[in-house]
Amino acid sequence: MFAFIVQSIDKLLLITGYFYISWKQPTKEGDSGSLAVGDCGGNEEKPAFEPVVLVQIPMRNERECYKRGIMAACRLDWPQDKLVVQVLDDSDDPDMQQLVRDEVDAWRAVGAPIRYTHRTARTGFKAGALAHGMQDPAIQHCEYVAIFDADFVPAKDFLRRTVPKFEGQPKLALVQARWAFANAQQNLLTRFQVISMSYHFEVEQQVQNHFNAFFGFNGTAGVWRVQALREAGGWLARTTTEDMDLAVRAHMKGWNFTYLNDVTVPSELPCTYKAYCKQQQRWHAGPARLFMLTWHRSLTCPTLSAYQKFNLLVCFFWFRRFVLPVTGFLLYCIIMPLAVLLPEASLPLWFLAYMQTQAILHWLPHRGSWCLLFPYYAFENVMYRVKAQAIFSGLFNLRSAHVWVVTAKTGIDAKTENIQSGGSKCVGKEGGVANDAEPVSPVSEGSSDDAFVAHASMDPLIAYDLPELRVGLKVRTAHGRGEETSGHCTGLDSSAKRRDFGHVSSPMKRGLWSPSAGRRLSLLTPTEERAERDPSLLTSFEAGAAWRLERTLYRLPSLREVWEKVTWANVRGFMAVRTLHVPELGWAAFVFGAMTYGISAGRYGLSVYLGMQGLGYLIAGLDLMGY
């Protein structure tokens, strides 16, 4: 009971802090963060803060996204004599090694300050690769190091918006940017992940940064002060979360961190259930193992105050990393079915309400996905099994706690135009998201920095999130035909959800607005048409709610499309590529059995919960969420 009360207070304080920050300090869009501006009262310009920066890109067999990662790093806006790009290739495929080496050579041939490093033995996994890169004599003069995974594509001004934060802050060790997601709308699984990641960045990272100056490093899209990194002991491979390990050790050395919620870097979410489970195994086993390795040092650390020790050990580790997954697994997978099967057992209603409240609080920062609230609730219950298993393996130092598997990539970020960051629209160069739609090598056919690919088969709602189209911008369809806009095309804003495409031809409009050549969408929704005729008919709240509802309805296919796709051949082909997950199917059978017994015994309340839980396990077991 005490643990539940403390965790509820902690989560309530986090949510309160999130709303306080949102109300008190709204994000300033377009703020570059650069200090190279003139003084307000004089004519002299302040010298730009341009230290020597190292950019590290660790990768291993990243065939789908290595070009984009290298391209983005080489095109960063920073003086070339003060920039070093280091590709840390751990690939064990000779063909992949040669591809990465050729890409590095191509960029070096056009003057990019890039270096290639390959290890014969993958000792220490990602931490070992980063540590090996820091030993290179050619980078010992670097003062700061920016780290990007291969699927992360920073905007050109990323260093301009992050590195200046270190100026005048001698105890600042880390500047962490927020993740954006190129495939946020790819399938049901990625939509669920966006909700979870929104809570992590909007609430945990932002509130911890604002009130405590400490949060866990996310392993990528961040800039470290090299002095702090070395003083903390460098990269260690003792856990599968080497990023969090480094952050905790730097925190105990008295270093501070800064989180920038308005600087976003697009990346790729796992789009299959198997890949997502492997990622969650690593993300939950690592903190559990790290807690066992550092709790005694944290308690005796002289640089941490009593509040900082409580925040680190009790809040950061115990309640936010361990309690909810373990209690959720025990409740929904063991206690609730037993409470139905055993007539003398009873389950307090406050406990069920407590667990539901936890899921709803996780959903709050991504309130635009209101239609996914209950499916997300069932999905989180399913994932409690994977997370609890990983936590136990880390606490007891089992073999599975040391398995480091690279998350599978599909290269979806090279084919999508809809880059979302936890429900926030962050597309285009403004706001810190790269505007490039395709990987471009210096030896391939070059395209403009403003090139944009529009697929004729894409979701019509993506048009709401297109970047601003400028005069002369070449827009290419999936068929390769290009047309240039001859008029200034503005994007949508909160007051008028419409787009003027200037002199773009009708076929191009179909490519941007329609999922097929035979289906057209109006530039204005019915709600907007009524609002234009008489703005007093709808309040701003009613107009916004109606517009979101219409967007949801537009997402649904027509009955004719459904009838054409639902054939026995399509069903057999769909099931042929599914991967059956035996543990999830086993739990689904157990939970459905308990639900059936509960209905026959007249215990309808708990049976409803079991039905939702069993359906979630069945969908996960049949691998349907990643479709």
Side-chain angles (χ1 to χ4, degrees):
M1 174 67 75
F2 175 75
F4 293 147
I5 293 176
V6 175
Q7 187 191 25
S8 299
I9 294 175
D10 173 64
K11 187 150 291 188
L12 184 61
L13 289 176
L14 286 176
I15 293 294
T16 304
Y18 158 71
F19 283 113
Y20 171 79
I21 294 173
S22 302
W23 169 68
K24 197 72 176 179
Q25 298 180 355
T27 302
K28 296 180 181 180
E29 298 293 341
D31 183 12
S32 64
S34 174
L35 300 182
V37 294
D39 291 333
C40 297
N43 297 324
E44 295 183 0
E45 288 188 354
K46 186 177 180 180
F49 181 68
E50 296 177 341
V52 184
V53 178
L54 168 67
V55 177
Q56 290 185 318
I57 311 175
M59 62 176 62
R60 181 176 187 266
N61 300 329
E62 310 272 3
R63 184 180 298 271
E64 298 81 8
C65 53
Y66 75 97
K67 281 190 177 182
R68 285 184 64 84
I70 295 175
M71 173 198 69
C74 291
R75 296 169 64 186
L76 287 171
D77 179 19
W78 203 253
Q80 295 294 289
D81 60 333
K82 295 184 179 181
L83 179 68
V84 179
V85 178
Q86 192 180 59
V87 178
L88 307 173
D89 185 21
D90 272 3
S91 302
D92 54 8
D93 182 359
D95 293 338
M96 192 65 239
Q97 296 174 23
Q98 189 60 44
L99 287 174
V100 177
R101 194 177 284 111
D102 291 344
E103 188 73 11
V104 171
D105 292 341
W107 280 103
R108 188 186 298 115
V110 296
I114 187 170
R115 300 173 61 84
Y116 175 84
T117 302
H118 179 263
R119 298 190 301 163
T120 56
R122 194 182 174 226
T123 305
F125 306 108
K126 180 180 176 180
L130 294 171
H132 180 75
M134 295 300 297
Q135 297 172 4
D136 189 345
I139 60 94
Q140 297 307 311
H141 63 295
C142 297
E143 304 171 66
Y144 301 92
V145 53
I147 302 169
F148 300 103
D149 287 347
D151 61 312
F152 279 71
V153 186
K156 292 182 180 180
D157 63 346
F158 176 84
L159 295 180
R160 295 291 181 188
R161 305 184 70 191
T162 54
V163 175
K165 302 296 181 182
F166 290 97
E167 186 177 17
Q169 302 291 334
K171 295 302 294 181
L172 181 60
L174 166 69
V175 174
Q176 173 70 58
R178 178 175 173 170
W179 296 4
F181 309 109
N183 60 335
Q185 304 296 324
Q186 183 178 358
N187 53 43
L188 191 60
L189 179 61
T190 58
R191 288 184 172 94
F192 289 153
Q193 292 178 68
V194 170
I195 297 176
S196 298
M197 298 303 289
S198 298
Y199 177 83
H200 173 70
F201 285 107
E202 288 276 0
V203 179
E204 291 184 343
Q205 297 281 84
Q206 191 171 205
V207 174
Q208 281 288 112
N209 166 70
H210 188 83
F211 294 101
N212 300 305
F214 168 71
F215 48 85
F217 175 45
N218 297 124
T220 179
V223 183
W224 275 92
R225 188 189 297 268
V226 174
Q227 176 189 353
L229 191 152
R230 289 173 173 161
E231 185 178 316
W235 296 102
L236 299 179
R238 56 183 181 173
T239 71
T240 56
T241 50
E242 70 290 329
D243 45 9
M244 186 182 294
D245 188 357
L246 177 61
V248 170
R249 285 184 279 118
H251 180 53
M252 290 191 289
K253 290 290 184 179
W255 290 95
N256 299 324
F257 308 152
T258 290
Y259 170 70
L260 304 179
N261 195 55
D262 60 334
V263 179
T264 53
V265 182
S267 62
E268 180 182 348
L269 291 167
C271 59
T272 64
Y273 181 70
K274 181 179 180 180
Y276 181 65
C277 287
K278 290 184 179 297
Q279 182 195 71
Q280 293 302 303
Q281 164 73 24
R282 191 176 74 245
W283 285 5
H284 285 80
R289 185 61 194 150
L290 180 61
F291 173 78
M292 299 301 294
L293 293 172
T294 59
W295 69 269
H296 53 286
R297 282 190 55 197
S298 301
L299 284 177
T300 59
C301 181
T303 59
L304 296 181
S305 63
Y307 167 73
Q308 289 175 322
K309 294 177 182 179
F310 177 83
N311 177 69
L312 175 63
L313 296 176
V314 179
C315 297
F316 180 79
F317 273 117
W318 191 249
F319 287 122
R320 298 173 194 165
R321 299 294 183 275
F322 307 151
V323 172
L324 184 59
V326 174
T327 55
F329 169 71
L330 294 176
L331 171 65
Y332 291 106
C333 297
I334 298 178
I335 297 177
M336 188 177 293
L338 292 179
V340 174
L341 295 174
L342 301 177
E344 64 276 7
S346 62
L347 196 63
L349 293 178
W350 68 265
F351 193 56
L352 294 175
Y354 165 81
M355 297 302 297
Q356 296 176 42
T357 303
Q358 300 297 311
I360 293 175
L361 291 179
H362 275 254
W363 168 81
L364 277 178
H366 197 69
R367 298 181 300 278
S369 297
W370 56 269
C371 57
L372 295 178
L373 175 58
F374 290 105
Y376 172 73
Y377 175 70
F379 167 74
E380 280 295 291
N381 296 345
V382 171
M383 292 307 302
Y384 286 150
R385 183 198 66 83
V386 178
K387 296 176 181 179
Q389 177 182 337
I391 290 172
F392 284 125
S393 67
L395 292 176
F396 297 105
N397 196 22
L398 302 180
R399 183 178 180 181
S400 58
H402 300 277
V403 176
W404 214 107
V405 179
V406 177
T407 304
K409 311 293 193 309
T410 62
I412 189 69
D413 53 349
K415 298 186 286 292
T416 185
E417 296 79 31
N418 189 20
I419 300 178
Q420 293 192 1
S421 174
S424 303
K425 183 176 69 175
C426 52
V427 184
K429 294 181 180 179
E430 302 78 2
V433 175
N435 206 20
D436 310 289
E438 290 181 333
V440 180
S441 300
V443 294
S444 62
E445 293 187 8
S447 61
S448 169
D449 293 343
D450 295 325
F452 188 83
V453 176
H455 293 279
S457 61
M458 70 184 189
D459 192 313
L461 295 181
I462 293 177
Y464 282 91
D465 297 316
L466 285 175
E468 184 176 353
L469 303 182
R470 298 172 179 82
V471 176
L473 168 63
K474 179 176 290 186
V475 183
R476 300 194 306 279
T477 66
H479 303 291
R481 295 188 297 271
E483 302 177 16
E484 291 190 359
T485 59
S486 56
H488 187 75
C489 307
T490 58
L492 302 177
D493 54 37
S494 58
S495 60
K497 305 288 191 303
R498 68 176 300 176
R499 183 184 298 277
D500 178 15
F501 283 103
H503 295 86
V504 178
S505 62
S506 296
M508 180 55 58
K509 289 183 181 179
R510 282 201 300 270
L512 293 175
W513 284 88
S514 177
S516 62
R519 183 178 174 186
R520 289 290 303 275
L521 292 177
S522 172
L523 293 181
L524 285 179
T525 66
T527 300
E528 294 161 351
E529 291 178 351
R530 291 195 301 271
E532 275 203 346
R533 289 196 301 268
D534 187 357
S536 63
L537 291 178
L538 295 172
T539 65
S540 59
F541 176 80
E542 292 172 341
W547 176 67
R548 285 191 292 270
L549 177 60
E550 288 172 350
R551 288 187 62 180
T552 303
L553 295 177
Y554 280 147
R555 199 183 299 270
L556 299 177
S558 64
L559 292 178
R560 181 177 179 180
E561 292 172 332
V562 173
W563 181 256
E564 290 176 352
K565 292 183 178 181
V566 179
T567 64
W568 178 241
N570 288 343
V571 171
R572 284 188 301 175
F574 171 76
M575 294 305 301
V577 297
R578 300 299 97 195
T579 301
L580 300 182
H581 302 279
V582 178
E584 281 73 13
L585 292 176
W587 282 110
F590 172 66
V591 173
F592 275 132
M595 180 198 70
T596 304
Y597 179 83
I599 293 176
S600 63
R603 309 190 72 173
Y604 302 109
L606 292 179
S607 297
V608 173
Y609 286 96
L610 290 177
M612 182 185 302
Q613 179 70 3
L615 183 61
Y617 271 114
L618 182 62
I619 293 175
L622 295 177
D623 196 16
L624 300 180
M625 285 185 295
Y627 178 70

